[in-house]
Amino acid sequence: MTRRRYVLGAVLITVPLLLALFGPLFAGEAGPRSVSFTQGGGHWLGTDFTGRDVWRQVLLGGRSVVLVALAATALAYAVALPLGLAAALTRFGWLEELLLRPLDVLLAVPSLILVLLVAAALEPGPVGLTVLVAFVAVPDAARVVHAAAVEIAARPAVEALRMHRESWAGIALGYTTRELRRTLAADAGTRLVGALYLVSTAAFLGVGVAPDAADWAVMVDRNRPGLDLQPWAVVIPAALIAGLSTGANLLFDAALQPRPGKGVER
């Protein structure tokens, strides 16, 4: 079963990643726009609602979704990991409260409202969208890190490291992070799916992405009214986004399965 998950996950995630990374290299120049939704005239998948070639839009539309989601997930963990570790490993209760209470406030606000509020203060574009999605993901990710790290911080091994005057970085980034790797791997798949959802939602709302941008999420949103006339302009980008999400979770799930004869690590 684990091997099947690896294979299926690898297939599902490889296709959208390759299209996102290398698709623009093969997109070529934009040809004349056609008002026909059907195949022909050099448009083997037909054209979208604005007359643009669907296949070319698929080749161009991955970077703004896939790479932004991956970058946002990495940025979220870069902030959430030290924040959650600091709250879990500190011996000062007031510092833990100071770090966690603002996160609780942000978690109480629906993510879409946060998207709209933060977007108003950021410049449109991939960098601003990456920061926006990471900002929304940080509170939940930091809470996951803190909840898992609290149990590790109470272990005798951590107290022994402190007695031997091990530095905070050594305890947090060495021992604790190593013990957290399974939790972080399990959470990473969910966090990536959440980032894809927010990036796509932001595109639907026109936040950070131009309404006519070559973007998979924009393609799905803008071509929905003509689904019966031109299904490929909706089905293909939607399938690529879904494939990336499903493939990532399958790979992380397979990686977390204990190997035969080794059991579950403690």
Side-chain angles (χ1 to χ4, degrees):
M1 180 62 71
T2 300
R3 185 172 184 179
R4 290 179 182 176
R5 287 182 179 179
Y6 267 123
V7 173
L8 181 58
V11 171
L12 289 174
I13 202 173
T14 297
V15 174
L17 281 179
L18 288 177
L19 285 174
L21 291 172
F22 303 110
L25 300 178
F26 301 95
E29 297 294 330
R33 299 196 179 191
S34 171
V35 295
S36 174
F37 289 117
T38 59
Q39 295 87 348
H43 310 293
W44 68 283
L45 285 180
T47 57
D48 64 7
F49 75 108
T50 62
R52 295 177 298 184
D53 182 73
V54 170
W55 177 239
R56 186 172 186 274
Q57 294 299 106
V58 169
L59 292 175
L60 292 173
R63 285 188 176 179
S64 54
V65 176
V66 177
L67 298 187
V68 167
L70 291 172
T73 302
L75 180 59
Y77 276 115
V79 177
L81 183 61
L83 192 61
L85 290 175
L89 294 173
T90 183
R91 291 183 171 183
F92 303 103
W94 62 268
L95 179 58
E96 184 176 12
E97 293 294 315
L98 181 64
L99 293 173
L100 294 181
R101 294 295 77 81
L103 300 181
D104 293 339
V105 173
L106 292 175
L107 284 172
V109 181
S111 59
L112 290 182
I113 295 180
L114 280 178
V115 167
L116 295 175
L117 290 176
V118 178
L122 292 176
E123 291 292 331
V127 175
L129 188 57
T130 300
V131 174
L132 166 64
V133 175
F135 176 82
V136 174
V138 162
D140 196 27
R143 267 299 188 176
V144 170
V145 173
H146 172 263
V150 163
E151 183 274 329
I152 298 173
R155 293 179 183 176
V158 173
E159 190 60 33
L161 289 172
R162 285 171 173 161
M163 292 178 64
H164 284 81
R165 299 185 180 278
E166 180 66 52
S167 65
W168 183 90
I171 297 175
L173 303 180
Y175 177 77
T176 308
T177 303
R178 185 172 64 251
E179 293 297 305
L180 279 174
R181 65 186 183 275
R182 294 181 64 84
T183 300
L184 294 177
D187 185 62
T190 303
R191 201 66 52 207
L192 178 58
V193 172
L196 285 167
Y197 164 76
L198 283 176
V199 171
S200 301
T201 302
F204 291 158
L205 298 175
V207 177
V209 181
D212 61 344
D215 179 276
W216 289 346
V218 172
M219 289 180 67
V220 174
D221 182 51
R222 299 297 184 265
N223 289 287
R224 282 185 300 110
L227 181 60
D228 55 336
L229 296 174
Q230 172 49 286
W232 299 121
V234 176
V235 172
I236 292 179
L240 289 169
I241 294 174
L244 180 67
S245 303
T246 306
N249 275 321
L250 284 173
L251 287 178
F252 281 116
D253 287 346
L256 289 172
Q257 295 298 315
R259 296 179 182 178
K262 291 192 175 182
V264 179
E265 294 182 20
R266 299 295 300 171

